[in-house]
Amino acid sequence: FSPDDVTVLFVLGGPGAGKGTQCARLVSEHGFTHLSAGDLLRAEQERPGSQFGDLIKNYIKDGLIVPMEVTVQLLENAMADALRKAGSAKGRFLIDGFPRKMDQAHRFEEAVCPARMVLFYDCPEAVMEKRLLERGKTSGRADDNAESIRKRFRTFVETSMPVVDYYEKEAKVVKIDATASPDKVFAETQKRLAERLG
Ligand code: UP5
Ligand code: MG
């Protein structure tokens, strides 16, 4: 992938901050391709014949980061698929929930391309916990329970925030308050994106 052809935005934030919700809106109004690393991992876990099924299942339940080779490969494949389907070398991608560990960030930048910017949805744990427990009543997600949520928060603070700090030093981070309603958060997202991407 050439950075001349491909624009990548990383979308980061704690579990339940609203990454997926905001990405869906950006897709419908701005024509990005949305790739959620968590969704790709869950799909791979379900795929018959996958050699990684059990591994992914255990990592997700414990809120741990699946070894990066697996996730980076899934993302590369999904990006290539999307470009093929669009019949174009050019594309704009929202990579949601990735990178959440420094080794992933380095690998992606080497293997794919550097990110143009990072949207960081900032949300207090108490708000995220409430959202996730509510969603857990119907989501069927194996990690939307109090114990897994606690583990996900811990991984976020210890392992994923250093990635945000790293991109902050590169002046790539746009930090957005994620506590307001989805509409308000989206309005702020659009405003900040317009300032950065024109
Ligand atoms: N909601 C959203 N916005 C709201 C708002 N503004 N006001 C009120 N409610 C709002 O939203 C969560 C819930 O909150 C929904 O019910 C929504 O309606 C409501 P959502 O948009 O889904 O938030 P999101 O940030 O996407 O939350 P998600 O649960 O997807 O976050 P995670 O980062 O925990 O999940 P992900 O799928 O990215 O990763 C899951 C696991 O996969 C990780 O824990 C890890 O084990 C593994 N993983 C890796 O190993 N490697 C990777 O690179 C990525 C993931
Ligand atoms: Mg999500």
Side-chain angles (χ1 to χ4, degrees):
F1 301 99
S2 155
D4 296 334
D5 291 334
V6 165
T7 303
V8 167
L9 272 57
F10 290 145
V11 182
L12 302 180
K19 303 181 292 295
T21 301
Q22 295 301 320
C23 284
R25 292 180 179 221
L26 287 167
V27 167
S28 56
E29 296 204 19
H30 297 275
F32 282 95
T33 298
H34 173 210
L35 299 175
S36 156
D39 287 349
L40 291 171
L41 287 166
R42 283 182 286 272
E44 177 65 18
Q45 185 203 310
E46 299 290 326
R47 188 173 65 82
S50 168
Q51 53 175 317
F52 302 118
D54 286 341
L55 175 130
I56 293 172
K57 187 174 178 191
N58 292 328
Y59 273 77
I60 287 187
K61 196 166 146 291
D62 286 334
L64 296 171
I65 311 301
V66 172
M68 62 159 175
E69 290 79 4
V70 176
T71 314
V72 173
Q73 190 63 58
L74 289 171
L75 284 167
E76 279 189 71
N77 294 348
M79 287 175 68
D81 274 353
L83 293 175
R84 209 165 23 242
K85 270 184 201 142
S88 166
K90 290 187 189 293
R92 303 201 303 158
F93 294 92
L94 298 169
I95 309 282
D96 161 4
F98 176 98
R100 53 215 289 162
K101 190 171 175 180
M102 273 318 298
D103 66 349
Q104 292 179 323
H106 292 313
R107 169 62 69 91
F108 187 91
E109 298 201 335
E110 286 159 20
V112 185
C113 70
R116 263 289 277 287
M117 59 182 269
V118 177
L119 282 173
F120 171 52
Y121 289 101
D122 189 28
C123 198
E125 276 189 10
V127 175
M128 297 193 289
E129 184 185 31
K130 193 160 162 265
R131 290 178 186 175
L132 292 176
L133 288 173
E134 184 59 35
R135 187 181 67 184
K137 291 175 187 167
T138 54
S139 68
R141 263 179 64 162
D143 58 351
D144 279 349
N145 58 77
E147 194 189 337
S148 292
I149 291 169
R150 207 161 38 243
K151 292 177 177 171
R152 289 157 74 190
F153 285 169
R154 186 178 175 137
T155 300
F156 177 67
V157 171
E158 291 178 353
T159 309
S160 305
M161 270 313 289
V163 177
V164 178
D165 296 339
Y166 166 79
Y167 286 114
E168 187 80 63
K169 290 197 188 87
E170 295 203 331
K172 287 188 173 173
V173 175
V174 168
K175 179 171 161 177
I176 295 172
D177 176 10
T179 53
S181 69
D183 284 347
K184 287 204 173 121
V185 177
F186 187 59
E188 180 67 13
T189 300
Q190 287 186 298
K191 183 173 145 234
R192 304 286 297 279
L193 269 185
E195 285 164 13
R196 290 287 279 237
L197 296 179

